């Protein structure tokens, strides 16, 4: 998109910023630790934080007299909206955002499971549905229409309406998993509170399909050159 957007780990109306000059985004909303941002294919920006899940249309914002980004009063369509914690959402701490291939939004939480927002309808999935744990962060939507979810308890995959999981008992390191990326060789690199972990995506899929009963992982920590054992979460 060319212009950076970021949230600050603070509270108040100016915690969401845009651009190299950190222009505040003034929507008349309070922000509380806006920790996850996602640009969707329809042009909206989704922001998750302690207040809930907020969407806005950057193309409809303009600088106001205070040099803040604010909705263009000439716009004839809604430029922002919020699914508020304690109202449209239960009382949760939102974490992480991923867009599915159908344009729907997936959001995790600190202790209340995985949330799926599609056409204004909200679904909630928890460990009872097959997640590795209720502290979960959606991390990656892959080229097979599968969503990979990290968190406390292990790694989960959601595909074709079903969750599969792999846990430390199955070969993953015992750690709180925080984020995940795939490299060009087909490996997942997973950040955690105790280091960075590498595991083969193919081996995970073989495990889910029953072709192997154990996965292998490599962990890199302080003794391997990390400055601290805990890695960034989002």
């Amino acid at each position: 998109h060319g212009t950076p957007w970021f949230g600050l780990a603070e509270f108040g109306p100016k915690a969401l910023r845009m651009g190299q000059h950190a222009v505040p985004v003034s929507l008349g909303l309070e922000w509380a630790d806006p920790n996850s941002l996602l640009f969707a294919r329809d042009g909206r920006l989704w922001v998750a934080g302690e207040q809930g899940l907020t969407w806005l249309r950057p193309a409809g914002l303009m600088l106001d007299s205070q040099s803040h980004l604010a909705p263009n009063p000439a716009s004839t369509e809604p430029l922002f909206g919020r699914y508020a914690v304690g109202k449209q959402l239960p009382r949760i701490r939102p974490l992480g955002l991923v867009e599915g291939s159908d344009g729907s939004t997936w959001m995790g939480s600190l202790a209340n499971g995985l949330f799926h927002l599609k056409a204004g309808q909200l679904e909630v999935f928890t460990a009872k549905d097959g997640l590795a744990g209720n502290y979960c962060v959606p991390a990656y939507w892959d080229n097979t229409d599968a969503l990979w979810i990290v968190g406390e308890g292990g790694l989960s995959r959601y595909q074709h309406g079903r969750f599969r999981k792999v846990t430390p008992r199955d070969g993953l390191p015992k750690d709180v998993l925080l984020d995940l990326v795939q490299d060009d060789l087909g490996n997942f690199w997973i950040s955690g509170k105790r280091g960075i972990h590498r595991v083969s995506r193919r081996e995970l899929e073989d495990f889910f399909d029953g072709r192997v009963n154990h996965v292998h992982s490599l962990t890199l920590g302080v003794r391997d050159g990390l400055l601290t054992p805990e890695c960034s979460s989002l």
Side-chain angles (χ1 to χ4, degrees):
H1 291 265
T3 301
W5 291 71
F6 55 94
L8 304 178
E10 61 182 42
F11 300 85
K14 299 180 181 180
L16 183 65
R17 303 292 183 101
M18 184 276 291
Q20 61 179 345
H21 299 296
V23 175
V25 182
S26 297
L27 303 178
L29 299 173
E30 290 291 313
W31 301 98
D33 185 22
N35 59 68
S36 304
L37 281 70
L38 168 71
F39 274 102
R41 290 187 293 274
D42 66 2
R44 286 190 288 181
L45 172 64
W46 291 87
V47 184
E50 291 186 25
Q51 300 281 13
L53 179 61
T54 305
W55 62 268
L56 58 104
R57 296 189 182 277
L61 305 183
M62 59 180 294
L63 288 176
D64 64 12
S65 59
Q66 301 181 61
S67 295
H68 293 179
L69 271 183
N72 185 340
S75 175
T76 58
E77 64 174 352
L79 296 178
F80 66 92
R82 172 173 285 176
Y83 297 86
V85 167
K87 294 181 180 179
Q88 296 85 3
L89 294 174
R91 294 198 174 278
I92 62 171
R93 172 81 179 274
L95 292 173
L97 291 171
V98 166
E99 183 179 23
S101 60
D102 60 357
S104 61
T105 303
W106 294 83
M107 179 180 71
S109 69
L110 188 63
N112 300 91
L114 182 70
F115 294 80
H116 181 210
L117 182 64
K118 182 177 181 179
Q121 300 298 310
L122 189 70
E123 291 181 285
V124 184
F125 302 100
T126 68
K128 294 180 180 179
D129 301 295
L131 274 173
N134 289 331
Y135 173 179
C136 61
V137 182
Y140 178 56
W141 189 278
D142 72 18
N143 56 3
T144 68
D145 266 353
L147 174 64
W148 295 84
I149 306 122
V150 296
E152 190 171 33
L155 174 66
S156 307
R157 185 190 71 180
Y158 180 77
Q159 187 180 45
H160 306 315
R162 182 183 182 189
F163 287 98
R164 302 300 299 269
K165 64 185 177 183
V166 58
T167 70
R169 181 179 57 190
D170 307 308
L172 282 189
K174 190 174 183 180
D175 196 358
V176 177
L177 307 180
L178 303 172
D179 207 350
L180 174 154
V181 295
Q182 179 174 310
D183 67 20
D184 293 337
L185 301 177
N187 296 305
F188 283 154
W189 291 87
I190 306 170
S191 61
K193 292 192 174 183
R194 297 181 179 179
I196 297 175
H197 315 292
R198 186 191 69 191
V199 61
S200 164
R201 173 178 164 182
R202 179 180 293 274
E203 191 171 25
L204 289 168
E205 291 172 341
D206 285 345
F207 175 82
F208 292 147
D209 292 338
R211 291 188 289 269
V212 300
N213 57 16
H214 192 83
V215 299
H216 301 86
S217 61
L218 168 71
T219 295
L220 303 176
V222 173
R223 65 182 180 181
D224 301 295
L226 289 181
L227 296 178
T228 64
E230 183 170 351
C231 302
S232 176
S233 59
L234 297 169

